[in-house]
Amino acid sequence: QKEVEQNSGPLSVPEGAIASLNCTYSDRGSQSFFWYRQYSGKSPELIMFIYSNGDKEDGRFTAQLNKASQYVSLLIRDSQPSDSATYLCAVNSGGFKTIFGAGTRLFVKA
Amino acid sequence: EAQVTQNPRYLITVTGKKLTVTCSQNMNHEYMSWYRQDPGLGLRQIYYSMNVEVTDKGDVPEGYKVSRKEKRNFPLILESPSPNQTSLYFCASSSWDRAGETQYFGPGTRLLVL
């Protein structure tokens, strides 16, 4: 069974700090990696995707992928209270099947 | 405005009574997918469709059917719902280009099967 693991949290960080969210996956054949943000009672929203090893930056968000370690992370710089949400990691193994982690709850304290 | 719509948004039904949850997108996306979300389990993929008349099973397809007769619509059918299908359901549509992936989720359908 292919798996995607995330620490459920909650992860609490002060406003302005860097929030680091981590995700590991079991399928070495995985090719596409995604981070979603889901506010309570709302739909998931795609915020980052990464296909290659290394870092990908978009505004305050940086996704990091290490395929050798089967590890993908999301860094949120200058965290704001509005970043408080559940962050879902998802992995696609080259077809169209997508496996999600259970999510990490993030709280940013003002 | 780019949009994925789902209907109904809330539904209470009884075991065995067939139901359909509709999903429609206005972005001409080829790829559509259905997920269910349960506490502590995250999102689990039920079915996906790569294009009209092309569908395939996700991780938890048992008890569900789908069809893709038109590009914009991807209904989810529960022929004989059971209480373990009580869940929050999301439809999503996606496209890819050189810039990467674009994906939108619908607002969700909360289903209670008694």
Side-chain angles (χ1 to χ4, degrees), chain A residues 37-100:
Chain A
R37 177 176 61 199
Q38 187 175 25
Y39 292 114
S40 181
K42 301 295 186 183
S43 311
E45 173 192 7
L46 179 64
I47 55 173
M48 289 288 285
F49 55 85
I50 186 167
Y51 304 140
S52 305
N53 272 333
D55 293 1
K56 179 183 177 184
E57 189 174 317
D58 183 1
R60 294 186 298 110
F61 299 103
T62 299
Q64 299 175 317
L65 175 61
N66 184 325
K67 288 187 177 181
S69 300
Q70 295 175 242
Y71 177 94
V72 58
S73 65
L74 178 70
L75 301 178
I76 306 174
R77 288 181 301 282
D78 188 24
S79 296
Q80 301 297 308
S82 59
D83 294 325
S84 297
T86 296
Y87 289 81
L88 304 169
C89 172
V91 172
N92 183 296
S93 298
F96 291 93
K97 274 191 178 180
T98 304
I99 307 293
F100 279 77

Side-chain angles (χ1 to χ4, degrees), chain B residues 37-74:
Chain B
Q37 188 171 34
D38 302 288
L41 295 178
L43 284 159
R44 291 182 292 167
Q45 192 175 41
I46 303 170
Y47 269 94
Y48 57 92
S49 169
M50 294 75 80
N51 213 327
V52 175
E53 301 292 4
V54 184
T55 64
D56 206 349
K57 296 176 181 179
D59 251 10
V60 288
E62 295 78 20
Y64 304 94
K65 285 174 58 177
V66 293
S67 69
R68 188 92 181 271
K69 294 185 172 58
E70 307 164 281
K71 201 170 190 179
R72 63 181 292 122
N73 295 323
F74 189 42

Side-chain angles (χ1 to χ4, degrees), chain B residues 1-59:
Chain B
E1 178 193 353
Q3 204 169 23
V4 178
T5 57
Q6 293 180 228
N7 282 292
R9 295 287 314 279
Y10 304 91
L11 179 60
I12 301 174
T13 189
V14 295
T15 299
K17 186 176 181 182
K18 180 180 178 179
L19 66 93
T20 299
V21 184
T22 65
C23 173
S24 182
Q25 49 100 359
N26 64 358
M27 296 158 284
N28 203 38
H29 286 171
E30 292 182 345
Y31 179 71
M32 297 184 74
S33 188
W34 275 104
Y35 298 91
R36 61 178 289 175
Q37 188 171 34
D38 302 288
L41 295 178
L43 284 159
R44 291 182 292 167
Q45 192 175 41
I46 303 170
Y47 269 94
Y48 57 92
S49 169
M50 294 75 80
N51 213 327
V52 175
E53 301 292 4
V54 184
T55 64
D56 206 349
K57 296 176 181 179
D59 251 10

